[in-house]
């Protein structure tokens, strides 16, 4: 199932989304849905994402939506934020999709490239990863990928020839979101996720905040629909994890507990 199909299902069952806050979606039919999909994890900090949107709005009010240079050094503030997140000095470039970003990263470091995932189940030491791909923690960032390369590896810009010029307003919001993520990593831990295990581990294997389905792939679309009937929005892609809904309580899974998925073995 695609995300478009999922959103069409939400619309047909509950109507339009009128508000998104934290891990919740509020519909025109006065239904509150608990979002475990979170735009494939891009909204993992919550739909309001603290004040990243405010930073975007402030820059939009200044008209900084073009491709002109707004800092003395490219990505100056964003570079500081990402370097803090990864614990090492980095050179940054934006790319329009994961494939292009991966190609650029591999051309810089074919043996030490990885995709960043906060609270990574593999416990990667990002300081030792030469090139890190980051899909910024902003819900509208699907077509926006960062390559964060160790500074000493980027001798010239030939490997970054397909890099995007991102309007400064959007870059400012990305910067704020990265700082928010760094703070959240220090605030959230196992204690914030394991409380849902009695319900969730029947259907998912949990690794940190990420939920990997135990349901068979051929039953998964039906399981997505069943969860939606129970007020839960989960990742429609079988090969991508859902996310434990930080800020919710165990009551949001009461309907799933009362009406177990019949296809589950």
């Amino acid at each position: 199932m695609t995300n478009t199909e999922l959103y069409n299902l939400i619309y047909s069952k509950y109507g339009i989304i009128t508000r998104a806050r934290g891990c919740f979606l509020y519909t025109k039919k006065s239904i509150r849905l608990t979002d475990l999909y979170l735009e494939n994890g891009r909204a993992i900090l919550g739909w309001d994402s603290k004040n990243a949107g405010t930073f975007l709005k402030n820059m939009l009010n200044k008209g900084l939506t073009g491709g002109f240079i707004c800092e003395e050094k490219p990505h100056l503030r964003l570079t500081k934020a990402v370097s803090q997140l990864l614990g090492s000095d980095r050179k940054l470039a934006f790319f329009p999709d994961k494939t292009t970003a991966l190609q650029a990263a591999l051309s810089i470091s074919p043996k030490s490239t990885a995709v960043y995932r906060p609270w990574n189940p593999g416990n990667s030491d990002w300081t030792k990863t030469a090139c890190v791909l980051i899909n910024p923690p902003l819900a509208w960032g699907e077509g926006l990928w960062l390559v964060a390369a160790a500074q000493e590896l980027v001798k010239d810009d030939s490997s970054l020839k397909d890099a995007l010029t991102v309007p400064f307003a959007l870059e400012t919001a990305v910067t704020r979101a990265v700082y928010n993520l760094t703070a959240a990593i220090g605030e959230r831990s196992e204690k914030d996720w394991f409380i849902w295990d009695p319900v969730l581990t029947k259907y998912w294997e949990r690794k940190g905040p990420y939920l990997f389905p135990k349901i068979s792939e051929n039953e998964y679309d039906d399981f997505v629909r069943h969860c939606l009937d129970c007020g839960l929005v989960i990742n429609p892609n079988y090969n991508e994890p859902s996310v434990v809904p930080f800020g919710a309580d165990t009551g949001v899974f009461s309907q799933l507990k009362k009406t177990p998925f019949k296809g589950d073995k």
Side-chain angles (χ1 to χ4, degrees), residues 2 16 25 28 41 53 62 82 97-98 146 173 180 183-185 191 222 224 253:
T2 66
I16 63 172
L25 303 175
K28 189 174 182 179
K62 293 182 179 180
V82 172
D97 53 63
K98 184 178 180 180
L146 273 170
N180 290 345
I185 287 173
K191 64 179 174 59
D222 289 337
V224 173
F253 297 107

Side-chain angles (χ1 to χ4, degrees), residues 21-261:
R21 184 71 66 185
C23 63
F24 298 113
L25 303 175
Y26 299 84
T27 77
K28 189 174 182 179
K29 294 184 179 181
S30 299
I31 299 296
R32 189 186 73 172
L33 303 173
T34 304
D35 190 1
L36 288 74
Y37 174 44
L38 294 169
E39 292 291 276
N40 205 24
R42 288 187 300 277
I44 195 168
L45 298 181
W47 278 103
D48 33 348
S49 191
K50 294 187 177 179
N51 52 0
T54 301
F55 277 71
L56 175 65
K57 181 180 178 181
N58 290 343
M59 292 300 107
L60 291 175
N61 288 338
K62 293 182 179 180
L64 299 181
T65 58
F68 30 76
I69 297 172
C70 299
E71 290 182 313
E72 294 297 329
K73 293 182 180 180
H75 314 309
L76 177 62
R77 282 176 275 190
L78 180 57
T79 297
K80 291 181 179 179
V82 172
S83 296
Q84 179 180 328
L85 176 69
L86 300 179
S88 54
D89 292 334
R90 299 285 167 162
K91 183 176 178 64
L92 303 183
F94 282 102
F95 291 88
D97 53 63
K98 184 178 180 180
T99 299
T100 309
L102 182 59
Q103 290 172 346
L106 290 174
S107 71
I108 297 170
S109 178
K111 295 183 178 180
S112 183
T113 288
V115 177
Y116 181 81
R117 177 173 281 168
W119 301 280
N120 183 52
N123 296 318
S124 294
D125 184 352
W126 299 111
T127 64
K128 296 179 180 178
T129 306
C131 278
V132 181
L133 277 67
I134 302 173
N135 195 195
L138 287 172
W140 57 75
E142 182 175 6
L144 199 63
W145 281 81
L146 273 170
V147 169
Q151 285 189 345
E152 66 273 12
L153 293 180
V154 185
K155 305 300 182 182
D156 54 57
D157 291 336
S158 61
S159 58
L160 307 177
K161 59 183 176 64
D162 295 319
L164 290 176
T165 298
V166 173
F168 189 65
L170 180 55
E171 183 170 325
T172 300
V174 171
T175 301
R176 183 67 263 166
V178 171
Y179 276 125
N180 290 345
L181 178 58
T182 301
I185 287 173
E187 296 168 356
R188 305 183 190 181
S189 63
E190 180 68 13
K191 64 179 174 59
D192 300 302
W193 305 311
F194 82 91
I195 57 174
W196 288 278
D197 284 357
V199 177
L200 296 185
T201 54
K202 180 178 180 180
Y203 303 106
W204 289 276
E205 178 183 2
R206 184 179 63 80
K207 297 180 179 180
Y210 300 104
L211 301 170
F212 297 87
K214 292 180 178 178
I215 304 296
S216 65
E217 188 168 1
N218 65 331
E219 294 178 318
Y220 190 70
D221 283 1
D222 289 337
F223 181 58
V224 173
R225 295 183 180 92
H226 179 79
C227 285
L228 189 57
D229 290 340
C230 296
L232 304 172
V233 180
I234 68 171
N235 201 316
N237 186 337
Y238 180 80
N239 296 307
E240 294 289 342
S242 297
V243 180
V244 174
F246 183 82
D249 58 64
T250 55
V252 300
F253 297 107
S254 60
Q255 190 61 32
L256 179 61
K257 189 174 181 180
K258 292 177 182 177
T259 56
F261 179 57

